[in-house]
Amino acid sequence: MMKKFGSAALALTLAGALAVPALAVETPVLISAKVDDYTTAITLNGEKLDTTGIPAASRADLVPLRLVAEADHGSAYWNQEDNESWFNFGKDKITVQYAANTILVNDVAVNTTAEVHDGVTYVPVAVLEGMEGFTITSDTETGSVTITTPNNDPMVKLAYAIMESSEMFGSRTDEATLTDAYKIPADQFEQVVAFFPMITSPDTVIVGKLAEGADEKAVTDALEAYRQSQEDTFSWYLSQNLPKVQDARTVVENGYLLFFIGENADQAEELFHAYVEAQG
């Protein structure tokens, strides 16, 4: 029988949730009595997560938050001074305050608690439903949890696959910033996913579907202007990056666009062509 954890679950303190005293800031560990392995099967955006070596939690609906965040291309950070951890999911953030055992979703407290075993923080999976675009399904018979996030979008997956193939790190940019900061007209796209680098690297990935009637030349001219600005910069600053800029790719195929600066440019193009072909 399939059971969906609804958002109403956030309004209740879940049975069996841990009541904990205030913690010393030196460690976020609340309890460490569990020695068994974690048994809940977690599937995130169609991929089963590897939970090998993770200690058991007290209930099947508790998920290891750092594992889920990092598998969804997010991050985790422990703020030792305030004795709290931040788990970032793109524009969303879950904060666990260990001393009070408080969970905040985008700075709004939810009425449930966390557990920590051997340094691993667990929260009820229903907490994730407090973030836009997240859906949760639980199979109580098999002890499994399925999580779907906005990163399940095929174009987003393509962008991340290209980044992984080039071993690049970048920050996702919203459409307003794409237009205002980088002068690339986001309004010419039906959908666009863009990642830009820190100032020490030119690595850039933009994939998108052009809108019907889009001014393709205006888009490609803007991309070339951006590429030229990177060439001007890296011709004198960290010039070892210049070959990547000079090998930049702008590809338009069947209404889809790829712009890429980075290592393994041929592989990036291959991934893009396979994606376009799959769209039919």
Side-chain angles (χ1 to χ4, degrees):
M1 169 174 134
M2 299 296 291
K3 176 183 176 186
K4 185 173 175 62
F5 288 100
S7 58
L10 298 181
L12 301 174
T13 301
L14 300 183
L18 189 67
V20 296
L23 301 176
V25 295
E26 286 79 7
T27 172
V29 175
L30 304 183
I31 58 176
S32 57
K34 298 289 184 181
V35 295
D36 296 332
D37 291 333
Y38 184 81
T39 58
T40 300
I42 304 174
T43 300
L44 176 73
N45 294 335
E47 300 291 333
K48 185 174 180 180
L49 302 189
D50 183 4
T51 58
T52 303
I54 294 179
S58 67
R59 305 193 313 276
D61 71 310
L62 293 170
V63 294
L65 198 49
R66 178 172 185 165
L67 175 69
V68 175
E70 292 182 345
D72 195 45
H73 307 287
S75 62
Y77 175 74
W78 177 38
N79 178 358
Q80 181 176 357
E81 181 177 357
D82 295 330
N83 196 22
E84 64 182 26
S85 287
W86 308 326
F87 302 88
N88 298 301
F89 295 80
K91 64 181 181 180
D92 294 300
K93 181 174 75 171
I94 295 175
T95 303
V96 179
Q97 299 172 328
Y98 295 106
N101 200 2
T102 301
I103 301 173
L104 304 154
V105 178
N106 294 325
D107 298 322
V108 177
V110 296
N111 192 21
T112 188
T113 53
E115 288 185 3
V116 177
H117 300 280
D118 295 336
V120 179
T121 301
Y122 300 81
V123 301
V125 69
V127 169
L128 299 176
E129 286 194 324
M131 298 186 294
E132 184 178 356
F134 282 67
T135 58
I136 312 298
T137 305
S138 174
D139 188 330
T140 56
E141 293 183 0
T142 62
S144 63
V145 168
T146 300
I147 304 168
T148 304
T149 81
N151 286 334
N152 195 46
D153 180 274
M155 189 175 289
V156 176
K157 285 186 171 183
L158 169 64
Y160 276 118
I162 291 172
M163 291 174 65
E164 289 168 5
S165 74
S166 64
E167 299 183 349
M168 68 175 284
F169 174 81
S171 177
R172 188 168 175 181
T173 299
D174 61 29
E175 292 185 10
T177 304
L178 186 65
T179 299
D180 296 340
Y182 297 104
K183 309 305 179 186
I184 297 165
D187 61 352
Q188 298 299 308
F189 291 88
E190 179 179 313
Q191 181 184 5
V192 62
V193 180
F195 288 85
F196 286 84
M198 307 301 285
I199 60 173
T200 57
S201 168
D203 293 3
T204 305
V205 174
I206 303 173
V207 291
K209 182 177 182 182
L210 293 168
E212 185 175 353
D215 187 341
E216 181 181 318
K217 186 175 186 302
V219 174
T220 56
D221 284 351
L223 291 169
E224 173 55 25
Y226 169 77
R227 189 208 66 79
Q228 185 62 56
S229 72
Q230 296 300 292
E231 182 167 343
D232 294 343
T233 296
F234 288 97
S235 62
W236 60 270
Y237 172 70
L238 298 176
S239 59
Q240 66 270 23
N241 288 304
L242 187 57
K244 291 190 290 186
V245 179
Q246 294 173 332
D247 193 34
R249 308 295 172 90
T250 301
V251 183
V252 179
E253 180 179 350
N254 294 340
Y256 291 90
L257 178 141
L258 166 70
F259 177 81
F260 177 78
I261 299 174
E263 301 287 351
N264 302 320
D266 290 341
Q267 177 67 14
E269 279 202 50
E270 289 176 13
L271 289 167
F272 173 72
H273 290 312
Y275 170 82
V276 173
E277 183 177 355
Q279 306 316 300

